[in-house]
Amino acid sequence: MQVILAQPRGFCAGVVRAIEIVERALQKFGAPVYVRHEIVHNRHVVESLKAKGAVFIEELSEAPAGAVTIFSAHGVAKAVEQEAEERGLKVLNATCPLVTKVHIQGKNYLANGRQVILIGHAGHPEILGTMGQIDGPVHLVQTEDDVETLGLKVDEPVSYVTQTTLSVDETKGIIGKLQNRFTNIVGPDTKDICYATQNRQTAVRSLCERADVVLVVGSPNSSNSNRLREIGEEVGVPSYLLADGSELNPEWVKGAKTVGITAGASAPESMVENVIDALRRLGPVDLSIMDGIEETIQFRLPAELIEVAPAA
């Protein structure tokens, strides 16, 4: 069986930073440290950090007053920040810098007298955080059809920002509809879209040109992992989402000469290797890595953690 790994795949810089913040916080302050929401959407990452002493909570009330508390990579609303301050929590903010950039863009558009339209998935933690960071109405748009139901005048000054786990390809239809409907509309440059989301989606499209089946390593609650699987299906290649090798169904790859593997931005490379091992148990594997973009972006850690030695 030919097995081709997508390039790039797996962890992005925002995820690496978020995990490192938890690990360095544990080294500096000792266990437990409290993490609001899953630090990233991956069960294996969460379980690994739990084993080191991280305690995952959904409400800040679950953390003792004064405790070291970390906000997840998805970002939080201002109300959460205020509650943390009122309870005297020592906060380390693991919000991805690209998510923070969206918050700043939305605030600036509102300050300049524009209505803010947010393109994204209702209920996603990033969306809840972004809507809660902007001190004014935010109009959520999930589909092109939603654009027609917006209760805004055609000539009203409007703006748009997008959820970072959506790519240029995913948002261009909605943005096109918005631009056709509104005469006074601004939005960020397409280069502001999350580089990791776009790169992984571009890579999986290339992978689909060579693979009979695509396996996407990632968690069911990972937006970007689900989207990678959907892209494979859209281009006509059977595609499956699995957290690790234990979830591999041999029927998925039965008769396949070439199996492509990619991973969502929150999936560790160890789980990709775990899936490859599961394939090897089915028969001989000839492994190769597809040509693709080499990502070199790194995000700075919070100042109080920079001097802490990284975990072994």
Side-chain angles (χ1 to χ4, degrees):
M1 182 188 297
Q2 294 280 336
V3 174
I4 304 174
L5 302 182
Q7 177 64 33
R9 65 187 177 278
F11 281 177
C12 62
V15 166
V16 170
R17 175 181 181 270
I19 294 169
E20 198 165 343
I21 285 173
V22 179
E23 291 179 336
R24 291 195 184 207
L26 284 164
Q27 286 179 262
K28 180 170 183 176
F29 301 106
V33 299
Y34 293 82
V35 185
R36 186 185 180 276
H37 192 66
E38 291 187 353
I39 188 70
V40 297
H41 282 162
N42 186 274
R43 174 170 55 85
H44 289 285
V45 170
V46 169
E47 292 301 322
S48 170
L49 293 173
K50 277 184 181 177
K52 295 175 183 178
V55 177
F56 290 86
I57 59 177
E58 288 302 318
E59 301 298 335
L60 292 183
S61 59
E62 299 172 55
V68 176
T69 306
I70 299 170
F71 295 155
S72 80
H74 311 97
V76 299
K78 279 186 177 179
V80 176
E81 295 174 337
Q82 291 164 357
E83 182 186 353
E85 188 174 346
E86 289 165 4
R87 299 196 62 244
L89 300 177
K90 177 169 180 53
V91 171
L92 295 166
N93 195 344
T95 302
C96 175
L98 297 180
V99 174
T100 301
K101 187 174 184 179
V102 172
H103 295 170
I104 293 168
Q105 287 167 335
K107 291 173 186 177
N108 288 342
Y109 288 142
L110 185 72
N112 288 327
R114 294 184 176 275
Q115 294 282 345
V116 178
I117 297 165
L118 174 58
I119 302 169
H121 299 145
H124 189 280
E126 183 184 330
I127 291 297
L128 298 176
T130 300
M131 295 182 82
Q133 280 287 335
I134 298 171
D135 294 325
V138 178
H139 308 274
L140 181 63
V141 168
Q142 300 186 78
T143 66
E144 292 182 32
D145 290 341
D146 289 346
V147 174
E148 303 306 321
T149 62
L150 287 169
L152 300 171
K153 296 176 182 176
V154 172
D155 59 352
E156 197 161 353
V158 300
S159 62
Y160 64 86
V161 291
T162 70
Q163 182 177 327
T164 63
T165 51
L166 302 180
S167 69
V168 174
D169 294 335
E170 291 172 273
T171 57
K172 65 183 178 185
I174 294 174
I175 292 170
K177 282 257 187 177
L178 288 170
Q179 290 171 334
N180 287 338
R181 178 171 172 190
F182 297 105
T183 58
N184 185 359
I185 182 169
V186 297
D189 193 287
T190 54
K191 72 177 187 299
D192 286 344
I193 204 86
C194 172
Y195 77 92
T197 299
Q198 186 63 48
N199 287 352
R200 279 150 191 72
Q201 292 188 13
T202 300
V204 82
R205 290 182 193 280
S206 298
L207 187 65
C208 287
E209 294 174 5
R210 299 173 59 183
D212 303 314
V213 177
V214 167
L215 303 177
V216 179
V217 182
S219 290
N221 62 337
S222 165
S223 173
N224 70 87
S225 298
N226 276 286
R227 183 59 189 144
L228 293 174
R229 184 198 63 77
E230 290 168 2
I231 289 171
E233 292 287 352
E234 286 169 8
V235 299
V237 178
S239 301
Y240 304 94
L241 179 67
L242 67 171
D244 54 41
S246 70
E247 297 184 358
L248 176 68
N249 183 340
E251 290 297 315
W252 294 345
V253 296
K254 189 175 181 180
K257 292 181 179 178
T258 305
V259 176
I261 300 179
T262 188
S266 51
E269 185 66 11
S270 59
M271 291 305 105
V272 173
E273 293 165 0
N274 189 259
V275 170
I276 295 168
D277 288 342
L279 289 171
R280 285 195 170 113
R281 287 193 287 272
L282 301 178
V285 164
D286 182 7
L287 186 66
S288 62
I289 300 175
M290 193 175 69
D291 290 337
I293 296 169
E294 292 283 346
E295 294 174 344
T296 57
I297 292 175
Q298 292 181 314
F299 291 137
R300 187 178 176 84
L301 292 165
E304 59 264 56
L305 296 180
I306 289 175
E307 298 305 317
V308 180

